[in-house]
Amino acid sequence: MSFDYNGKMSDAVQQVPPSAIRKFFDLANEMQGHVISLSIGEPDFVTPWPIREAGINSLVEGYTHYSPNSGYLNARKAISDYLKRRYGVSYSPDGELLITVGGSEGLDLVARALINPGDEVIVVEPCFVAYNATVKFAHGVPVTVETKPENGYKLMPEELEAAITEKTKYIIVGYPNNPTGAVMTLEDWAGIRDVLLRHPGVIVLSDELYCELNYLDGKPASLTQFSELRERVIMVNGFSKSYAMTGFRVGYIAGPHELVSQMTKIHQYCIMSAPSLSQFAVIEAAMNADGEIIKMRDEYNHRRRVIIQGLSDAGLDCFTPYGAFYAFPSIKCTGLSSEEFCERFLIEKHVAIVPGNAFGACGEGFVRISYAASLDDIKEAMVLLKEFVEDLRKG
Amino acid sequence: MIDDIELLHLMENNARLSSAEMATMLAVSEDEVNLEIKRLRDENIILGYSTIINWEKKAPDTCIGMIEVRIAPIKNKGYDHIAQILSRYDKVSACYLVSGGFDLMIIYEDKTLRDIANFVSEKIATQEGVLSTTTHFILKKYKANGIIYDNPNKDDRQAIIL
């Protein structure tokens, strides 16, 4: 009853606050009546049937045991083929690929395999909320580089270079970006490559979960495509976003054997292996589902244009996103903070979106709107957004 | 430049989209959409617009028959002659020439099984060149027009931020 928890908890865990906007989501869940949610960071599509069927068949055939620690060889081969086909890069199924429990495990494995206490990790913000947390849990020190809307939220070479110190262990980049929808082209990455070549000790974690959701040319562009960086780029990727497979919890790491083997050690002791049935689904996805990706990408692209038009009609400035399924408009003209804006929009118009400051301090003054939602919901939400912003302006 | 295939897919999936909405979705002007639709109509590529209705819910007694028809083709007219005659009946909702053990597949909708049986015996079997018919009555629709009836997939996603 009176156990004293003081001093019992890890400092590293305690310094990470619970999600600051938990309250906001509890409010959304408690609200009566119809709430339109443009807040969710996962596809609204159900996983394509052949992929689900492959998972089911694996159960029927009795594949209910542990897989090898790195994942089934057939699944690693299928991923290796996929990377060759879509990226033009070569990773051996034998030692350069590790199948993980979603992309999230990959972020954690990289942090735990690389960081010694006090090492700095450059985190490019605004970004996925897990980057900073995984670094802190591993006793690292996150160093923020803030990207800007006027640069299309791209990472600028000079901004990266200014943040690199002798303590920098690795940098985390995530493009196409959550929450801004920004993409980096191969030319953009070439500038980053040049910086990295001047700093030969710095490793890169490239989070490419949204790699297939690129509306510029539909092709993944990545630092892994520069062979001169091959020894120090770790790709964290997965099937959740591109293939609408979030619930399968399966992703992968692709990188040099020396790094992947250390991460495999952690994975082996802490996770054992990714779910077997999900790996069978992945074989089908990686081998036979390119057409499904394109179908979903085309539909997201239609919705993306509707959102951009809606934001413009509502009078909100928004940098044009070309990736993922998010728009990140500025709400500074309303005079409200991001959290105030989202809370009032939810209470007054019953539409849930996410305050930009959840993704880093530089996200203040912005909101994240997801278009992983039905076209009808998006259209209705855009009408309500326009009304809401007009009401605010009238005061 | 408008992609007519993409436009057709949009209209096929949702005929209620306005020209303005489609223009936004395709990143072209509304005028371009309207001109393209006119062209597609003029060329009989767009033939009409309809609504997909689950009649089993509204009028559960409606009957649908799938009628296989074997034909001896008529000289110089092939199968087209009979197919065109049968297609003129309003209640024939589809008529296909098919490969395999029979020649025409007719989809016919009416109020009762008797109505369909009468149509087969009086209108189809009596056509010159018809050798035989086999009628299948549809008992339940699981999927039609690309839509799964009674689709159980609801949006059950959690309101989390990650």
Side-chain angles (χ1 to χ4, degrees):
Chain A
M1 284 295 276
S2 58
F3 185 79
D4 182 7
Y5 290 100
N6 276 331
K8 298 293 188 289
M9 255 60 99
S10 146
D11 292 341
V13 172
Q14 279 189 303
Q15 66 164 325
V16 176
S19 166
I21 53 173
R22 198 68 241 173
K23 196 183 93 199
F24 173 79
F25 279 96
D26 289 345
L27 183 66
N29 285 332
E30 283 164 15
M31 279 193 48
Q32 303 294 315
H34 178 54
V35 173
I36 299 175
S37 178
L38 302 187
S39 62
I40 302 179
E42 66 171 311
D44 56 318
F45 297 105
V46 177
T47 313
W49 171 245
I51 299 175
R52 283 185 276 158
E53 191 179 36
I56 293 167
N57 286 345
S58 77
L59 296 181
V60 171
E61 288 163 21
Y63 287 101
T64 57
H65 302 102
Y66 294 128
S67 77
N69 292 128
S70 311
Y72 285 113
L73 181 60
N74 281 348
R76 280 178 279 138
K77 275 185 178 159
I79 292 168
S80 175
D81 289 348
Y82 162 86
L83 289 173
K84 209 169 287 168
R85 184 171 76 244
R86 300 290 301 166
Y87 279 75
V89 296
S90 177
Y91 285 95
S92 165
D94 193 14
E96 294 186 321
L97 286 169
L98 167 65
I99 298 184
T100 57
V101 178
S104 300
E105 189 204 342
L107 300 176
D108 183 44
L109 289 181
V110 174
R112 288 203 277 163
L114 296 184
I115 294 175
N116 284 316
D119 281 349
E120 290 179 357
V121 177
I122 294 175
V123 178
V124 180
E125 291 186 352
C127 67
F128 179 44
V129 296
Y131 296 167
N132 280 299
T134 49
V135 170
K136 288 180 186 166
F137 288 151
H139 307 280
V141 180
V143 173
T144 303
V145 170
E146 297 184 344
T147 58
K148 301 178 181 68
E150 55 268 32
N151 296 329
Y153 287 110
K154 292 174 187 212
L155 173 60
M156 306 310 279
E158 59 280 10
E159 291 170 352
L160 171 64
E161 190 144 32
I164 294 175
T165 72
E166 63 209 17
K167 288 186 184 163
T168 304
K169 183 56 81 63
Y170 68 100
I171 66 173
I172 308 180
V173 289
Y175 290 91
N177 183 258
N178 169 14
T180 62
V183 296
M184 294 273 283
T185 63
L186 208 54
E187 295 78 65
D188 296 327
W189 283 126
I192 302 303
R193 172 203 52 194
D194 295 344
V195 173
L196 290 167
L197 290 176
R198 286 195 288 276
H199 299 274
V202 176
I203 295 171
V204 179
L205 187 178
S206 185
D207 173 355
E208 309 198 8
L209 263 286
Y210 293 94
C211 66
E212 292 285 359
L213 301 178
N214 170 342
Y215 312 104
L216 276 178
D217 59 7
K219 288 189 195 130
S222 157
L223 282 173
T224 58
Q225 289 161 325
F226 297 108
S227 56
E228 57 272 43
L229 295 178
R230 198 178 193 290
E231 292 170 314
R232 53 192 170 116
V233 176
I234 305 164
M235 179 200 288
V236 168
N237 210 331
F239 298 85
S240 295
K241 313 294 184 179
S242 309
Y243 294 83
M245 290 178 70
T246 44
F248 284 83
R249 307 308 307 127
V250 62
Y252 58 92
I253 284 173
H257 174 69
E258 290 75 6
L259 297 178
V260 171
S261 61
Q262 295 303 309
M263 292 186 267
T264 304
K265 216 155 61 184
I266 304 172
H267 172 80
Q268 188 173 23
Y269 283 115
C270 298
I271 299 286
M272 193 75 83
S273 57
S276 296
L277 98 87
S278 301
Q279 293 188 49
F280 279 92
V282 154
I283 295 171
E284 174 66 22
M287 286 175 67
N288 298 321
D290 288 7
E292 300 285 351
I293 302 177
I294 293 166
K295 224 159 60 186
M296 290 190 270
R297 182 174 63 216
D298 286 350
E299 191 158 338
Y300 286 132
N301 196 17
H302 294 150
R303 300 173 186 175
R304 180 183 70 92
R305 289 166 176 156
V306 172
I307 286 263
I308 295 167
Q309 183 65 48
L311 294 172
S312 156
D313 291 346
L316 295 182
D317 281 340
C318 185
F319 131 83
T320 305
Y322 285 105
F325 37 61
Y326 307 108
F328 202 62
S330 167
I331 48 94
K332 288 175 183 165
C333 65
T334 65
L336 299 181
S337 72
S338 297
E339 288 188 34
E340 285 166 345
F341 184 94
C342 292
E343 195 168 330
R344 284 187 56 184
F345 191 33
L346 176 63
I347 291 169
E348 293 171 29
K349 299 292 179 187
H350 292 210
V351 181
I353 56 174
V354 182
N357 62 329
F359 308 97
C362 63
E364 179 52 51
F366 297 83
V367 294
R368 187 189 78 173
I369 302 183
S370 163
Y371 47 91
S374 74
L375 187 65
D376 286 343
D377 277 357
I378 291 171
K379 277 158 49 179
E380 195 180 339
M382 289 299 108
V383 171
L384 292 166
L385 179 68
K386 185 164 188 253
E387 281 175 21
F388 181 63
V389 172
E390 278 169 3
D391 292 350
L392 287 174
R393 286 199 166 132
K394 279 180 213 150
Chain B
M1 184 65 188
I2 194 161
D3 179 340
D4 55 355
I5 303 279
E6 205 178 356
L7 173 69
L8 288 167
H9 279 308
L10 277 185
M11 297 179 78
E12 189 176 34
N13 287 332
N14 184 355
R16 296 195 70 198
L17 290 172
S18 69
S19 299
E21 286 167 343
M22 288 189 285
T24 301
M25 292 167 83
L26 299 174
V28 296
S29 73
E30 200 176 335
D31 283 350
E32 278 178 274
V33 169
N34 287 331
L35 274 174
E36 189 63 12
I37 291 173
K38 185 177 178 312
R39 182 184 74 81
L40 291 163
R41 288 195 62 124
D42 289 348
E43 293 181 14
N44 274 345
I45 293 168
I46 292 174
L47 297 172
Y49 308 92
S50 71
T51 303
I52 299 162
I53 296 165
N54 186 351
W55 280 113
E56 287 175 14
K57 278 196 165 170
K58 189 64 196 167
D61 295 335
T62 308
C63 243
I64 304 173
M66 298 175 76
I67 306 155
E68 302 173 4
V69 187
R70 283 180 59 236
I71 292 172
I74 296 170
K75 197 175 179 186
N76 297 332
K77 293 181 179 172
Y79 297 101
D80 293 354
H81 181 66
I82 292 179
Q84 282 161 358
I85 288 176
L86 294 177
S87 295
R88 290 196 184 107
Y89 291 95
D90 282 347
K91 289 175 182 171
V92 169
S93 62
C95 175
Y96 307 102
L97 178 65
V98 297
S99 63
F102 59 97
D103 305 302
L104 292 183
M105 168 62 84
I106 308 283
I107 314 290
Y108 184 82
E109 301 185 19
D110 214 327
K111 291 198 190 70
T112 66
L113 298 183
R114 172 62 52 199
D115 292 328
I116 294 177
N118 286 345
F119 176 74
V120 173
S121 60
E122 291 169 17
K123 307 294 184 195
I124 301 182
T126 54
Q127 295 289 337
E128 187 193 346
V130 169
L131 301 174
S132 68
T133 64
T134 308
T135 303
H136 308 272
F137 295 107
I138 287 179
L139 304 178
K140 183 172 179 180
K141 275 190 193 177
Y142 293 95
K143 184 175 182 181
N145 301 92
I147 291 177
I148 294 178
Y149 283 46
D150 298 322
N151 192 344
N153 289 326
K154 300 274 181 280
D155 191 347
D156 63 347
R157 294 176 297 160
Q158 301 291 304
I160 53 175
I161 57 157
L162 297 181

